[in-house]
Amino acid sequence: MSNLSDHPISRRWPARHPERLQLYSLPTPNGVKVSIFLEETGLAYEPHLVSFASNDQLTPEFLSLNPNNKIPAIIDPDGPGGRPLALFESGAILLYLAEKTGRLLPADAAQRYETIQWLMFQMAGVGPMFGQVGFFHKFAGKDFEDKRPRDRYLAESRRLLGVLEQRLQGRDWVMGEAYSIADIAIFPWVNNLIEFYGAGELVGIADFPQVLRALRAFLDRPAVRRGLAIPQRAA
């Protein structure tokens, strides 16, 4: 791929601003990680809505960018060496963009890896577990007579919230005073657990006051409020 127009995805989502980073996404907890980062840093980008309602994620054009058929995905026309770079997986995208911009990831090596550690905490634990709680509480899983699967994911989600609660004791953010990609990864999932899945009472969210305090601070950020609604869903 020598330029953006060479990529098959441009046939379905043509770029009006091909010089900008292209974001293919949906405002889900994973999707908004990238839009929030981009809003926080002011990096120029063009968002494209990948609609699950019309199975956009299963089209040949999207699969040419992400064979795992998940959002978000990006193409940076000004990637390493000035060549276009296509990426999927929200954690990988956050790391790439943080290194590209020099923002929201500590320069100190030890703190950098500690931040990555908490990013992986979200990717490996918080996202999958909170998503399963949402399935069993809000979607088809609520009809299962056997509640043991739900309770298994519920217990693990409470455990993860406890880990986060302990980490936030005496800290503004996951990494202390500095807001980082760890916060951008974790708090959309906490918000989704409470607001979209309606599972706050189920998980006993009131038992985690530091998590709630940090979540409120996260949601008060103007870039977060903007990023949570990008890309705009179709009317």
Side-chain angles (χ1 to χ4, degrees), residues 25-185:
S25 191
L26 187 68
T28 66
N30 283 333
V32 300
K33 294 176 196 175
V34 180
S35 55
I36 289 170
F37 181 97
L38 292 166
E39 290 294 318
E40 290 279 10
T41 58
L43 189 65
Y45 73 104
E46 181 177 350
H48 303 277
L49 180 70
V50 179
S51 173
F52 290 175
S54 55
N55 287 323
D56 283 350
Q57 76 277 17
L58 301 178
T59 61
E61 292 86 358
F62 188 78
L63 291 172
S64 71
L65 178 57
N66 183 0
N68 196 33
N69 66 272
K70 303 291 185 182
I71 59 92
I74 65 167
I75 297 178
D76 182 2
D78 184 27
R83 297 178 60 82
L85 175 68
L87 279 180
F88 62 89
E89 285 296 335
S90 58
I93 295 170
L94 284 179
L95 283 170
Y96 168 69
L97 293 176
E99 292 183 348
K100 177 184 176 73
T101 61
R103 300 279 301 279
L104 302 173
L105 183 64
D108 174 79
Q111 290 190 342
R112 179 177 181 273
Y113 281 106
E114 192 175 348
T115 305
I116 294 171
Q117 164 188 269
W118 286 100
L119 173 63
M120 296 301 110
F121 168 80
Q122 184 279 306
M123 299 292 293
V126 168
M129 293 303 105
F130 287 12
Q132 293 294 348
V133 168
F135 170 79
F136 281 99
H137 183 63
K138 180 170 182 172
F139 298 112
K142 66 185 178 182
D143 299 325
F144 291 7
E145 188 172 333
D146 185 350
K147 298 306 178 188
R148 286 176 296 177
R150 185 205 69 174
D151 291 347
R152 174 183 174 88
Y153 293 118
L154 174 59
E156 179 62 3
S157 293
R158 279 187 55 83
R159 188 191 71 79
L160 292 165
L161 286 166
V163 173
L164 185 58
E165 177 75 10
Q166 182 178 22
R167 175 66 182 180
L168 289 167
Q169 294 285 344
R171 292 181 173 90
D172 293 337
W173 300 105
V174 170
M175 286 301 297
E177 293 183 3
Y179 175 73
S180 73
I181 59 172
D183 305 292
I184 291 174

Side-chain angles (χ1 to χ4, degrees), residues 210-221:
Q210 295 304 317
V211 173
L212 288 172
R213 183 263 309 160
L215 175 63
R216 287 191 295 269
F218 180 72
L219 295 174
D220 280 344
R221 297 178 70 89

